[in-house]
Amino acid sequence: MNRNLFFWLLSGFLLGGCGDPDSSSKRVQWPTMGTIASVRASSSLSDATSAKRSCEAIFQNQEAIFSAWEESSELSRLNLTAGTGAATECSRDLSHVLVQALALCQESEGAFNPLIGSALRIWGFNGASPVHQQPGGEEIAEALRLADWRQLRTTRASPHSISLQIPVRGMKLDLGAIAKGYAVDLAYAALKSAGCSNLLINLGGNLRAIGEGNQGEGGWRTGIRDPFGKRQVFARFLLRDGEAVATSGNYERFVTIQGRRYAHIIDGRTGIPVRGMAGTTVVAPTAELADGLSTTLFILGAEKGTAFLMRHHPECRAIWIPDTGKETDYAIAGNWQPNHLEILEKP
Ligand code: ADP
Ligand code: MG
């Protein structure tokens, strides 16, 4: 099946602006960056359509930088320098995302790991051939050797760029856990500086709010899709003007090996796909941080993740939905305000 079509069929975990019966008439959506993007306007369809035009060009540019699939992307070309001894100056966008990714990596002691590319491939992700049995200990150990982020060397090349040396042949950077969030921030900045108001940008479940969905609300009401499919929405909350939200889940992208499902999020310290978590949602001041943190907190789980959030990102808030199928098992952390998060009862 065509990859874009595949993602059309599996819509994101986050529902943009749910609860508004008029929503579809003021929303435009299109496939991009291996997922679906949409823009909603509170005013009119034509405002959504003109915002889409700005976002479309930005997302295409970002895909040309960050795609792990396209051999011509800046990231793929950078990966080809692994083990050659070359230090490569990265573009402003790639530099920005790499710095943020390495910060999350350091903070999480490698749970979030931008060198996860080789580990993803041994589990059959990122265009690797389908895998019929679980990788063995040696294969995992080799993938972990190639995920040793402590060996990456960065130096500042200019005020807005870094040079990166990837020391070991076969090491593969993968920024799929954070690049979409960054692209949303670029779209947000472009729309704001063009004077746009009251829009909700959504790139594959990475959302950022401009203004509000309904007058006087102070933001956009949005929701987390129920990962167990028992009802449409698991929880509703208000995404305030300027805030971003992202969800990482185990239901949309996975491989099945010997009848067992493995999610596309791999613990960067063990090389093994994370189990036991259905979804993690994070609200943050930027979409790049929300995206990176949703993956990090998915890996860390609720207990370690709460301590991590309080220590490193107390300005953010999170919700974990474990894969137990029991909707009362969720956990929350961070600065949720009273009445800002509504966990919905089963119908
Ligand atoms: P999605 O891309 O579905 O929105 P995420 O933001 O959580 O979900 O990103 C998942 C992607 O992150 C994977 O497809 C892979 O490219 C990358 N990834 C997987 N495991 C890790 C990890 N430990 N650290 C950093 N990136 C990871
Ligand atoms: Mg993410």
Side-chain angles (χ1 to χ4, degrees), residues 282-311:
V282 177
V283 180
T286 67
E288 184 187 29
L289 186 58
D291 193 4
L293 278 180
S294 73
T295 312
T296 311
L297 297 184
F298 185 96
I299 299 166
L300 294 180
E303 206 182 307
K304 292 202 171 108
T306 299
F308 174 90
L309 202 67
M310 294 303 98
R311 174 157 182 225

Side-chain angles (χ1 to χ4, degrees), residues 75 197 227 268 318 323 329:
L75 186 74
S197 55
D323 204 359
D329 283 348

Side-chain angles (χ1 to χ4, degrees), residues 1-10:
M1 194 190 307
N2 167 300
R3 199 157 56 91
N4 283 338
L5 181 62
F6 181 69
F7 282 108
W8 271 107
L9 296 174
L10 299 168

Side-chain angles (χ1 to χ4, degrees), residues 115 118-120 122 138-148 271:
L115 273 181
S118 299
L120 283 162
I122 63 166
E138 276 180 23
E139 218 179 338
I140 293 175
E142 172 62 4
L144 279 179
R145 187 181 73 85
L146 297 174
D148 184 5

Side-chain angles (χ1 to χ4, degrees), residues 37 47 50 82 84-85 91 137 150 156 162 167 218 226 247 262-263 266 271 278 284 288:
D47 281 355
S50 75
T84 63
S91 66
R150 288 187 173 87
R156 184 132 300 277
I162 59 167
D226 181 1
T247 290
Y262 295 90
I266 290 180
E288 184 187 29

Side-chain angles (χ1 to χ4, degrees), residues 111-113 116 174 176-177 180 248 253 264-266 268 291 295 299:
F112 181 99
N113 186 343
I116 202 70
D174 181 292
K180 288 198 289 289
S248 290
R253 286 181 60 198
H264 67 138
I265 298 174
I266 290 180
D291 193 4
T295 312
I299 299 166

